[in-house]
Amino acid sequence: MTDLDTSYVWQGRNDAEDGELGLRVHHIVCRDEENDSNVALLGFATDEGVKRNKGRTGAIRGPDEIRNALSSMAWHCSNRLTDLGNIVCNDGNLETSQSQCAQVITQALSDKKIMLLGGGHEIAFSSFKGIVEHLKEVSRDGEKPKLGIINFDAHFDLRAFQHPTQPLKASSGTPFNQSAQWCRDNNWSFLYTCIGVSRASNTQALYDRANALNVLYIEDNQLNIQQQSHHLASLNDFIGQCDYLYLTIDLDVFSSAIAPGVSAPNPRGMSYEQLWPFIELTLQHNKKILVADIAEYNPTYDIDHSTARLAARLSWEILHALLNE
């Protein structure tokens, strides 16, 4: 049995004079898994993968800080949310924690969709493994559903995690290469798109790997109004190929002006307005989305909780989409 840290206490603003019309997120979160909620929150408190990837640590505190920023946001659904708690990786054993997180996801997907709060982007391999193990359980013999990964990120996160002469380990930079390897080993299609890629932050080796894997990617300098319709059509075509979707947002895709509290700040990053049409298009296909996550929030470097508020607003949008099928 996987141990979950459920010590976080939800609290926030109360507008008692407004009655049921004054609901905020903290009012509708419950811990009891036996309820009518069809969406669950799960935190993965980790920055071991960031440390291995030579990044600045601190993301381990991300999940509860995002909860703090989310708690007093207005709630406009009758549906409740289940908070499963946090998987915590504080002993350096990332692989065990990833397996535990994947197991919780697989179990929860039997009757709920999942919104994960990170934590470093090593959360992504947990999300992927949790989804594919669930799909293996519910699919007919021999059926291999097409799972599409939509990643908003300045980085491909396709770094090598094995090498015959180098002492490599899985990290926050490897989850989609690990996912591609799993797909090869299990004869599944690897369907991956990355939006907001920074050429300055990805070596030619990573571009070559992305091209070899037929990754659909859109670079940060291509996300302008003149090319928007073309790229939205490409994303829509990608979604059309997929039976299910996994949405992941690495906060370093945003400009450091609005997201300073990340593991790898991005001065050439995107604005919310630039990315929102692509996120919105993805959320319009909410029936296909099984899991979504927010990664790389690092409270240590945040300014006035601005990155936490950004992560919370993104989570709020995703949660409303998942609940309104």
Side-chain angles (χ1 to χ4, degrees):
M1 182 68 179
T2 299
D3 290 329
L4 285 160
D5 178 2
T6 58
S7 60
Y8 180 82
V9 178
W10 285 88
Q11 55 189 332
R13 176 170 172 158
N14 285 295
D15 297 314
E17 69 276 13
D18 292 329
E20 288 297 312
L21 298 180
L23 287 179
R24 298 178 184 275
V25 172
H26 70 93
H27 292 122
I28 54 84
V29 175
C30 52
R31 292 289 189 185
D32 179 14
E33 295 183 43
E34 301 299 325
N35 61 72
D36 58 358
S37 169
N38 62 352
V39 175
L41 284 169
L42 175 64
F44 190 13
T46 171
D47 56 14
E48 175 62 25
V50 175
K51 181 179 179 181
R52 294 181 185 185
N53 200 28
K54 304 172 185 177
R56 53 185 193 175
T57 57
I60 192 171
R61 297 192 294 113
D64 284 354
E65 291 298 325
I66 297 174
R67 285 183 175 93
N68 286 340
L70 183 62
S71 63
S72 287
M73 297 184 81
W75 193 249
H76 300 279
C77 297
S78 58
N79 309 67
R80 294 169 65 82
L81 297 172
T82 300
D83 187 359
L84 300 176
N86 292 333
I87 297 289
V88 181
C89 178
N90 54 14
D91 60 0
N93 195 340
L94 175 61
E95 289 75 15
T96 296
S97 295
Q98 284 178 315
S99 294
Q100 291 173 341
C101 188
Q103 289 169 11
V104 173
I105 293 168
T106 299
Q107 182 177 2
L109 281 173
S110 63
D111 64 352
K112 290 175 173 52
K113 294 187 175 186
I114 316 296
M115 175 82 219
L116 284 102
L117 307 175
H121 215 175
E122 58 264 35
I123 194 174
F125 190 56
S126 300
S127 295
F128 173 82
K129 280 297 298 298
I131 296 170
V132 295
E133 293 302 325
H134 164 72
L135 292 177
K136 284 166 62 177
E137 289 180 0
V138 300
S139 299
R140 295 188 296 270
D141 289 344
E143 184 181 33
K144 295 175 180 177
K146 292 182 178 180
L147 172 64
I149 303 168
I150 300 177
N151 180 29
F152 291 88
D153 200 337
H155 307 90
F156 284 119
D157 288 348
L158 288 169
R159 293 184 181 278
F161 60 97
Q162 296 172 326
H163 195 275
T165 61
Q166 300 297 319
L168 299 183
K169 288 184 177 182
S171 73
S172 62
T174 68
F176 303 113
N177 197 15
Q178 291 173 270
S179 301
Q181 182 64 57
W182 187 95
C183 288
R184 285 192 295 269
D185 292 344
N186 292 272
N187 197 28
W188 281 43
S189 299
F190 179 63
L191 299 170
Y192 174 40
T193 186
C194 190
I195 300 170
V197 176
S198 168
R199 187 164 285 270
S201 301
N202 294 270
T203 63
Q204 190 58 49
L206 293 170
Y207 271 92
D208 289 350
R209 188 167 294 132
N211 290 328
L213 291 168
N214 294 314
V215 175
L216 170 65
Y217 56 87
I218 306 170
E219 294 184 347
D220 52 10
N221 58 9
Q222 297 173 321
L223 284 165
N224 52 60
I225 195 63
Q226 291 82 7
Q227 300 183 68
Q228 184 181 94
S229 296
H230 169 72
H231 292 311
L232 284 170
S234 296
L235 177 59
N236 197 53
D237 289 344
F238 174 86
I239 292 172
Q241 301 174 46
C242 305
D243 301 313
Y244 301 97
L245 295 174
Y246 159 40
L247 168 63
T248 178
I249 302 176
D250 185 323
L251 293 169
D252 71 22
V253 74
F254 292 98
S255 167
S256 54
I258 61 170
V262 296
S263 300
N266 184 1
R268 178 61 175 82
M270 301 293 95
S271 68
Y272 197 104
E273 292 73 19
Q274 284 175 295
L275 287 181
W276 176 246
F278 297 88
I279 298 172
E280 183 179 39
L281 174 60
T282 305
L283 295 180
Q284 287 171 357
H285 296 271
N286 52 4
K287 290 185 178 180
K288 290 187 175 184
I289 300 172
L290 296 178
V291 171
D293 60 43
I294 303 287
E296 298 289 345
Y297 173 51
N298 189 327
T300 303
Y301 301 97
D302 206 2
I303 299 172
D304 194 29
H305 306 291
S306 58
T307 317
R309 292 189 179 97
L310 172 62
R313 179 56 190 265
L314 289 165
S315 301
W316 184 92
E317 297 281 5
I318 293 167
L319 289 168
H320 273 85
L322 294 181
L323 285 164
N324 285 285
E325 296 185 283

